[in-house]
Amino acid sequence: MPVPLFEEYDPGGDCGCPGCARRRRDLARARAIPLRDGGHPAARGARRALVLATAAGVVLSGGTGAAVAVSGPDPVPGPVTPGSPQGGRAPLHGPSRTGPVKAPAARRQIGRTTIINRAKLWLDAKVPYSMSLYWTDGYRQDCSGYVSMAWNLGTNEWTGSLDTFATRITKDELLPGDMLLFHNPADPNQGSHVTLFGGWVDETRTHYIAYEQTRPTTRKQATPYGYWNNATKYLPYRFNGITGGITPEAPAAGPKPVADVTYPGAAKFGAGANNEYVTQLGQMLSGRGGSRFYPQGIGPQWTDSDRLATQAFQRAQGWTGGEADGRPGPKTWSLLVQKRGKDIPPTVAGATGPPSLRVPPYPGAAVLRPGASGPAVTALGRQLVRKGFGKYYPTGPGPRWGEADRRAVEAFQRAQGWRGTSADGYPGPETWRRLFA
């Protein structure tokens, strides 16, 4: 059964629905609440400036509260090791405001849409990370406080207690609003971290949209499953108060599976083809090691992804020349439907095979910027065309970096689920790796 895809929708800044209006009001009023003594005067002054700037941005931009993106040299932040002390369990607004920690008297009920919308409040406000400060809603500004806020727990939990409010699930059961938790009992102050699951980036399920509270501020980005580091130690959980959407929704009605395993004929494949056999081909190739060729998913329309995946499978059988032209003939189709032959080998450093299966070393940001010229720019452009992002090139691509290169890279980055400075059109190491993988 195809894995459902989850797509984020951000409403316009002038949306007049009650939910968006309330979200803008909350953002404009946002301010941090210190733990005991009000914090250092300089910190209070910096926080007040942040609040005033945020509120002004809401007014001047028509109420969206979105921050202006600042271009950076690398569009994809590198792996982050949380390594930050985790605040212990605490009441809302911190120990100085209430008595001893008490768990909510009753389980709070909340829907998935509400969880994600609550998570976006901190994302829009760019709440700074802190284990000793509490935001205006009363929740501590660290990763576990963020999940406590999104789930509306009514107390500030930590990585050692969040699992008591949830139930373990499997990777296949993950839905937006669930969490991925890593608690390090040997040293909770180092390595423990938690993220909110926002949906899969694509049907390969190798990356997901993570909402998380980390330095310097709340962020949302495509993240390897389960995280950049300690990946196997992150466990999926579902809040016990979730209402609705307990299991993945059934996929929308589409073309019926092809029951006949007989080769449908060469006319069903190639440029301009759009039919259920192309979908079946993609599904079979993906199951034989070709999922990396489908960064935008498998569909009924023939693309260069289908050609490259077919060619990789053919070459895995030792075929060359016309036998490995990327168009499935009767022999290729027979091996796929009968699950025979050799699988497509994984991409590894130094592996033999066609250039499309090898990832060249990242040439550095300086050679992929305006004014740059060289073979790396040409190779980048050609790979973008192969991946289906060639519509921005009226001619070429060529060795001189141009606006067509930047727009094509930006489109590819957005297809990964990245936004803001992570999709500025300038390829960093992660963009390069995914593009050539």
Side-chain angles (χ1 to χ4, degrees):
M1 178 178 71
V3 177
L5 302 182
F6 301 98
E7 227 174 272
E8 292 284 350
Y9 171 72
D10 291 321
D14 56 351
C15 178
C17 76
C20 289
R22 179 177 179 183
R23 183 178 172 193
R24 290 195 291 270
R25 288 197 300 271
D26 290 342
L27 178 58
R29 290 198 302 266
R31 66 186 184 280
I33 301 176
L35 174 57
R36 292 183 182 273
D37 57 0
H40 192 279
R44 291 200 302 271
R47 182 57 50 81
R48 178 172 176 78
L50 173 64
V51 172
L52 291 175
T54 303
V58 171
V59 174
L60 295 176
S61 64
T64 62
V68 178
V70 180
S71 296
D74 191 344
V76 181
V80 173
T81 302
S84 302
Q86 299 294 309
R89 295 190 66 209
L92 221 54
H93 301 292
S96 63
R97 296 180 173 265
T98 61
V101 179
K102 293 182 180 179
R107 178 192 301 169
R108 300 187 177 214
Q109 303 294 304
I110 192 170
R112 295 188 180 279
T113 300
T114 303
I115 291 174
I116 297 301
N117 284 339
R118 288 174 65 86
K120 287 179 179 178
L121 285 174
W122 281 27
L123 185 70
D124 291 344
K126 295 187 177 297
V127 175
Y129 180 92
S130 174
M131 64 161 291
S132 60
L133 294 177
Y134 292 73
W135 200 239
T136 183
D137 51 23
Y139 289 96
R140 192 177 54 244
Q141 295 166 212
D142 60 12
C143 64
S144 49
Y146 183 50
V147 173
S148 299
M149 178 278 297
W151 284 0
N152 194 24
L153 295 183
T155 55
N156 282 284
E157 301 302 319
W158 72 307
T159 55
S161 64
L162 279 171
D163 62 332
T164 64
F165 293 81
T167 302
R168 274 286 305 274
I169 58 175
T170 66
K171 176 183 177 181
D172 292 337
E173 294 173 316
L174 275 166
L175 291 172
D178 297 333
M179 75 171 175
L180 286 163
L181 173 69
F182 167 42
H183 178 62
N184 182 9
D187 187 358
N189 289 346
Q190 296 294 327
S192 297
H193 191 50
V194 62
T195 70
L196 273 174
F197 180 81
W200 295 111
V201 171
D202 58 37
E203 66 177 9
T204 65
R205 296 186 298 165
T206 59
H207 288 70
Y208 68 101
I209 299 298
Y211 290 84
E212 59 178 323
Q213 184 67 4
T214 187
R215 290 186 174 90
T217 64
T218 316
R219 76 178 182 186
K220 164 196 168 188
Q221 70 170 9
T223 302
Y225 186 85
Y227 200 65
W228 301 96
N229 44 46
N230 296 310
T232 60
K233 297 179 181 179
Y234 279 76
L235 304 178
Y237 285 87
R238 173 161 301 149
F239 177 44
N240 292 331
I242 283 286
T243 59
I246 304 302
T247 58
E249 297 179 2
K256 295 181 179 179
V258 182
D260 189 1
V261 296
T262 305
Y263 178 62
K268 296 294 183 181
F269 308 102
N274 190 326
N275 55 73
E276 65 271 25
Y277 293 102
V278 176
T279 301
Q280 185 186 12
L281 174 71
Q283 291 170 344
M284 292 189 296
L285 289 168
S286 183
R288 300 296 296 272
S291 60
R292 67 179 182 271
F293 292 94
Y294 294 93
Q296 299 184 76
I298 296 168
Q301 184 172 356
W302 178 272
T303 68
D304 209 37
S305 295
D306 299 293
R307 183 185 66 79
L308 290 172
T310 301
Q311 187 176 54
F313 178 77
Q314 292 169 333
R315 288 180 171 175
Q317 314 313 310
W319 304 343
T320 59
E323 289 188 317
D325 61 358
R327 293 280 293 273
K331 193 174 179 181
T332 301
W333 187 264
S334 176
L335 290 178
L336 287 170
V337 297
Q338 296 180 33
K339 298 181 180 180
R340 295 189 295 108
K342 297 180 180 179
D343 290 347
I344 299 172
T347 301
V348 295
T352 58
S356 62
L357 297 182
R358 297 197 301 267
V359 179
Y362 177 61
V367 302
L368 300 170
R369 289 292 187 273
S373 180
V377 179
T378 304
L380 174 78
R382 289 175 177 171
Q383 192 67 6
L384 286 164
V385 172
R386 292 191 189 101
K387 292 282 187 176
F389 298 89
K391 68 178 182 180
Y392 300 98
Y393 293 100
T395 59
R400 180 172 293 278
W401 178 273
E403 180 63 12
D405 298 291
R406 191 198 67 77
R407 293 182 66 190
V409 171
E410 180 183 10
F412 176 78
Q413 290 169 334
R414 288 184 173 274
Q416 312 310 302
W418 304 336
R419 296 294 184 270
T421 56
S422 295
D424 61 359
Y426 297 105
E430 181 64 13
T431 298
W432 184 271
R433 184 189 69 77
R434 293 195 185 191
L435 187 59
F436 284 88

